[in-house]
Amino acid sequence: METSSTKNEFRNTLVLSGAFTAIFTAYLAIQNLQSSLNQEQGLGLISLSCMYACIIISGILAPAIINVFGEKKVLVISFICHVIYIGTNFYPTFATLVPSSVLLGLTAGPMWTSQSVYLSDMAYSYAGRTSKDGHAVLSKFNGIFFAMFETTQITGNLISSLVLQQGRYNSSISSNETVETFCGSDDCPMAVNATKIEEPERHVVYILLGIFLALDIFGVVLTSVFLPPVQKVISKQKVNLLKSLASCGKGLTDLNLIFLIPLIIFMAMEQAILWTDYTKSFISCPLGIQKLGFVMATYGASTTVFALIVARISKYTGRYILFTIAGLVNLGVLITMYVWNPSSENIFLIFLVPVIWGVAEGIWQIQSNALIALLFPEKKDSAFANYHTWKAIGFTLTFVYGNFLCVSTKLIIAIVLLMVSMCLYLIVEIRVKQRKPTSKDKMMTEEVNSLDPDSNASSN
């Protein structure tokens, strides 16, 4: 029978999960709108570029920052930065949105690391109090968190479309010639005929931002008032800047990790293309910005469902088949986007592409982390530091050149990188096959497959 003290770990997990759900319901929805809502001089893409560039730095420095402030304070500070970020969207300029994006990026790395550490501490605390298996409890607590978190792409995008459709818009583009000039892969930001999305009235945007701001404030209050700090024994070994940098650099001495870097960058690139190019040139352009949330909600639902399916079937299929499926799905989606001229008459296909995209994303989320944990069981810290850092680099590069290159060019870059990265991944699998698998390898595969490790997205 559970005592009141053992119930606290469940309560704390629910509080943490609820806070992240509220915060990222707002954040992911506004991120999807940036390229369509803040088009002038590429402000939306530039702000995202700055944010993810700072995530590169904050991810490396996360251990040192958490050592100073502790997990709860880091979460509260980061959530307050989310409030500031939504606030600056009320008056988006380079002087307001870019600094708040930088601030958000500088706290994102420590925030996600704090989330992982806090959740693990709750799981092991509960397991210790109840004498239950630590791995089983860890799986259960992570399942609670990510089951709630994965709904944010659905809820946030539904809120955005339900609010934005209250605005007044001109009828959708109907001329095939105009569609071919402006929408789809023909969209070129530097061209005279660059896509210009009709934005809703400001009062409608303010209503949407007001809802998001309320969600962020709720997340801050929930964390500040109801989430207790973790009580830990003070460690004699302090984590400093040099150790954080050394941990990340240490991983680059492994040839397998070097071969996986292009694939890690691609996984960030394909997400960035979805968030910016697909939302702007394939949804907002032919259908209007008010339909963007409805389309992206189907992506969120698809990703959630297939992530759960992959977590269940991976032990039967093996990661080779799943990686192949994900690569082929992404290749098909990118080629489709390259040859397809979207119009308001293609509404079924506009909804279908993100659903199919979610199949690949559900695989990448689970299997990429499982692969890292399996390949580097003795140096997970440095391997995962590199994993998150290179993903942030991939996001940053895609957002930066997004202001200068045509969508067709960005799609070609992604297709070439996908093919190169899959070839290098094959080499890694051959190298792994040549070494004798150990019982620890099998244990690590089962352990990581039982968790949903990387939703963010976001994150990251």
Side-chain angles (χ1 to χ4, degrees):
M1 182 175 179
E2 292 178 345
T3 65
S4 58
S5 59
T6 60
K7 292 179 182 178
N8 288 336
E9 285 87 0
F10 272 118
R11 170 190 172 278
N12 296 341
T13 299
L14 290 173
V15 170
L16 181 69
S17 304
F20 268 82
T21 301
I23 293 292
F24 278 85
T25 291
Y27 170 72
L28 292 177
I30 200 67
Q31 176 184 254
N32 291 337
L33 289 168
Q34 281 299 331
S35 61
S36 298
L37 206 54
N38 297 313
Q39 304 169 73
E40 292 299 326
Q41 297 181 293
L43 174 59
L45 285 179
I46 291 174
S47 66
L48 290 174
S49 303
C50 295
M51 182 189 302
Y52 280 91
C54 292
I55 292 177
I56 299 172
I57 301 172
S58 69
I60 297 174
L61 302 182
I65 294 173
I66 294 173
N67 184 70
V68 174
F69 294 101
E71 290 83 5
K72 177 180 176 176
K73 287 184 180 178
V74 168
L75 290 172
V76 172
I77 292 171
S78 179
F79 290 168
I80 291 174
C81 291
H82 275 268
V83 173
I84 296 172
Y85 176 72
I86 294 296
T88 57
N89 275 273
F90 279 90
Y91 186 68
T93 66
F94 281 93
T96 59
L97 193 56
V98 171
S100 68
S101 299
V102 169
L103 195 61
L104 198 60
L106 290 175
T107 60
M111 177 195 69
W112 279 109
T113 304
S114 296
Q115 176 272 328
S116 299
V117 173
Y118 193 97
L119 202 61
S120 298
D121 285 343
M122 289 300 102
Y124 287 125
S125 173
Y126 179 80
R129 290 176 186 271
T130 58
S131 299
K132 292 185 177 180
D133 178 67
H135 171 252
V137 176
L138 188 61
S139 300
K140 184 175 183 178
F141 279 34
N142 273 271
I144 293 171
F145 178 86
F146 285 105
M148 294 179 65
F149 182 85
E150 290 286 0
T151 63
T152 56
Q153 274 280 11
I154 304 172
T155 54
N157 285 307
L158 286 178
I159 290 172
S160 68
S161 273
L162 289 172
V163 173
L164 292 178
Q165 72 175 359
Q166 304 305 315
R168 292 192 299 270
Y169 305 89
N170 293 328
S171 58
S172 300
I173 302 168
S174 58
S175 168
N176 288 335
E177 181 179 354
T178 304
V179 170
E180 291 178 1
T181 303
F182 291 95
C183 298
S185 61
D186 292 324
D187 178 19
C188 294
M190 302 299 289
V192 177
N193 65 340
T195 300
K196 180 68 176 178
I197 305 301
E198 184 184 5
E199 298 179 9
E201 301 97 326
R202 292 309 298 174
H203 77 273
V204 176
V205 177
Y206 291 156
I207 293 173
L208 178 63
L209 292 174
I211 295 173
F212 290 159
L213 189 62
L215 286 168
D216 278 352
I217 293 174
F218 174 76
V220 172
V221 172
L222 196 61
T223 306
S224 303
V225 178
F226 297 102
L227 191 72
V230 177
Q231 301 297 327
K232 291 186 176 181
V233 178
I234 299 176
S235 174
K236 295 181 180 180
Q237 183 180 11
K238 293 186 176 180
V239 181
N240 55 34
L241 172 61
L242 291 178
K243 288 181 179 178
S244 294
L245 292 172
S247 176
C248 191
K250 183 181 178 182
L252 291 177
T253 59
D254 192 293
L255 193 59
N256 284 338
L257 181 58
I258 294 175
F259 283 161
L260 288 176
I261 286 176
L263 182 60
I264 296 171
I265 293 176
F266 170 77
M267 287 188 289
M269 182 180 292
E270 53 92 12
Q271 281 188 297
I273 289 174
L274 173 69
W275 295 340
T276 56
D277 297 313
Y278 192 80
T279 56
K280 179 172 181 281
S281 303
F282 291 84
I283 303 175
S284 295
C285 181
L287 300 182
I289 193 174
Q290 69 274 21
K291 295 294 192 298
L292 192 155
F294 291 138
V295 178
M296 291 303 292
T298 63
Y299 165 76
S302 175
T303 303
T304 302
V305 170
F306 281 101
L308 294 173
I309 292 174
V310 169
R312 297 292 183 273
I313 69 172
S314 57
K315 61 182 178 181
Y316 303 109
T317 62
R319 66 177 179 272
Y320 324 106
I321 294 177
L322 293 174
F323 267 105
T324 301
I325 292 173
L328 291 175
V329 168
N330 267 145
L331 181 63
V333 166
L334 294 171
I335 292 175
T336 298
M337 290 172 63
Y338 184 81
V339 302
W340 170 38
N341 291 317
S343 72
S344 57
E345 298 175 355
N346 306 138
I347 189 167
F348 176 77
L349 187 57
I350 292 173
F351 274 85
L352 180 62
V353 167
V355 172
I356 297 174
W357 208 317
V359 177
E361 198 57 44
I363 295 173
W364 294 135
Q365 283 187 3
I366 299 294
Q367 292 302 310
S368 60
N369 283 261
L371 180 63
I372 296 294
L374 176 65
L375 293 181
F376 313 102
E378 304 299 331
K379 45 184 178 180
K380 292 191 295 292
D381 292 345
S382 60
F384 276 110
N386 273 280
Y387 174 78
H388 292 295
T389 299
W390 284 104
K391 282 198 79 171
I393 291 173
F395 280 121
T396 304
L397 290 174
T398 309
F399 290 139
V400 168
Y401 67 58
N403 278 308
F404 309 103
L405 300 180
C406 298
V407 174
S408 57
T409 305
K410 286 182 276 186
L411 291 173
I412 291 174
I413 293 174
I415 290 171
V416 172
L417 180 60
L418 172 60
M419 291 189 291
V420 171
S421 62
M422 291 304 289
C423 290
L424 292 175
Y425 161 72
L426 178 61
I427 294 175
V428 171
E429 289 292 7
I430 293 174
R431 286 169 54 87
V432 173
K433 197 81 172 178
Q434 289 175 345
R435 83 178 186 191
K436 187 176 180 180
T438 64
S439 59
K440 188 168 187 178
D441 289 335
K442 297 178 181 178
M443 181 188 70
M444 289 301 301
T445 302
E446 294 175 357
E447 177 181 348
V448 183
N449 280 344
S450 66
L451 309 178
D452 185 357
D454 182 32
S455 76
N456 77 84
S458 41
S459 54
N460 188 37

